[in-house]
Amino acid sequence: MKKVWKKLTVLLLGAVMLLVALPVQAANFCHVTLDGNKITAVYYPGKNSGYNEIAIGQIVERSKSSSLKNLKSSNKSVLTVKATKYKNGNMYSTEIMAHAKKAGTATVSFKAGGKSYKVKVTVKGYANPVAYIKVGGTKLSATKFKKTNVASLKYAKFANKNCKITVKPAKGWKLSGKIQFLSDYYESDGYKVPTQTLVVNGKNVVIKGRKPSKSFSPCLQMVLVNSKTGVSEIVRVDFK
């Protein structure tokens, strides 16, 4: 009889453990990745600013219903925030982005998976980082980049020509890495992914690519870094 009771006790304990474990197995998996607790970005003035979008972080969950709550910016005059949700395989991702509106500071805060998160964002004002840019024999002076980080040239003038690209940084700035020539793009999951050629400063590249349109123009793009502050800025030359 004792053996029977022992077996029943083991079976009952197993059943109780299974019932306790079930809610844990059904609980939502939630993983939050931040781009940093402190982020420094640049506000680019003018109409060309796709560069004013700032990545804050990403939430990956098993549940279709996002656990994201109370997403806000402490200073909406400096930056606003939004969340975009999309399916990622058998999981669901929520991308948190901020949009810079002017120089200043703001804190982005939110809750996810029952935890609270805060990211301090410092937005710097744009400062022209180039003395000049030369494409072949055409020189774009510093004044072209005084109020905006994007200048433009006529595509027809340079199409299919092998042009030497020279970037002269302004005092206190240096070119970071190689220059990108974005000539075309392809579609991937609803996004336009540019095809690029990397160009060493002072070397040549053939200006050839997709015909300019309202949604895309071939361009030269480069990153310059302030030697003192470490702030990075993007400068672009569009061929329209």
Side-chain angles (χ1 to χ4, degrees):
M1 190 68 179
K2 288 182 178 179
K3 290 183 178 180
V4 173
W5 277 112
K6 283 183 180 180
K7 287 183 179 180
L8 286 172
T9 303
V10 170
L11 289 171
L12 286 169
L13 285 171
V16 171
M17 289 175 70
L18 180 61
L19 287 170
V20 172
L22 281 175
V24 176
Q25 291 174 352
N28 180 32
F29 167 84
C30 179
H31 180 71
V32 178
T33 303
L34 299 178
D35 278 49
N37 294 317
K38 294 181 179 180
I39 296 174
T40 300
V42 175
Y43 169 69
Y44 296 95
K47 300 178 181 179
N48 307 298
S49 48
Y51 299 109
N52 284 328
E53 302 302 315
I54 306 165
I56 300 298
Q58 187 181 54
I59 304 167
V60 178
E61 300 177 276
R62 184 180 290 113
S63 173
K64 188 176 181 180
S65 300
S66 176
S67 65
L68 175 65
K69 295 179 180 179
N70 303 328
L71 174 63
K72 61 183 179 180
S73 164
S74 66
N75 192 342
K76 292 181 181 179
S77 66
V78 172
L79 58 84
T80 55
V81 287
K82 67 176 182 178
T84 304
K85 186 176 179 180
Y86 58 94
K87 199 171 187 304
N88 186 4
N90 62 345
M91 306 293 280
Y92 294 88
S93 295
T94 302
E95 189 177 57
I96 300 174
M97 299 290 293
H99 178 78
K101 300 177 73 176
K102 67 176 184 179
T105 58
T107 298
V108 176
S109 59
F110 63 92
K111 289 184 178 180
K115 294 183 179 180
S116 298
Y117 298 88
K118 287 186 178 181
V119 178
K120 183 179 179 181
V121 183
T122 301
V123 182
K124 302 285 188 180
Y126 168 76
N128 174 25
V130 297
Y132 65 80
I133 296 174
K134 284 185 72 175
V135 180
T138 301
K139 184 176 181 180
L140 294 165
S141 65
T143 55
K144 294 287 185 182
F145 301 96
K146 186 176 181 180
K147 295 182 179 181
T148 177
N149 65 316
V150 181
S152 61
L153 295 170
K154 294 290 185 181
Y155 178 73
K157 180 179 177 180
F158 299 92
N160 301 313
K161 293 182 179 179
N162 189 17
C163 298
K164 181 179 178 180
I165 311 299
T166 305
V167 178
K168 174 68 174 176
K171 186 177 180 181
W173 293 83
K174 60 183 179 180
L175 186 65
S176 176
K178 296 179 181 179
I179 302 160
Q180 296 173 303
F181 174 54
L182 308 179
S183 58
D184 205 337
Y185 68 86
Y186 61 92
E187 300 278 353
S188 177
D189 296 327
Y191 292 93
K192 291 179 179 178
V193 181
T195 54
Q196 66 172 348
T197 301
L198 296 178
V199 186
V200 175
N201 192 18
K203 299 297 182 180
N204 289 39
V205 66
V206 177
I207 308 299
K208 182 179 181 180
R210 183 182 289 261
K211 188 176 180 181
S213 65
K214 289 183 179 180
S215 61
F216 180 83
S217 295
C219 67
L220 293 166
Q221 183 171 270
M222 60 218 71
V223 177
L224 295 103
V225 180
N226 187 289
S227 303
K228 185 178 181 179
T229 64
V231 171
S232 297
E233 291 191 353
I234 300 170
V235 172
R236 198 178 79 222
V237 177
D238 288 340
F239 294 95
K240 293 188 171 183

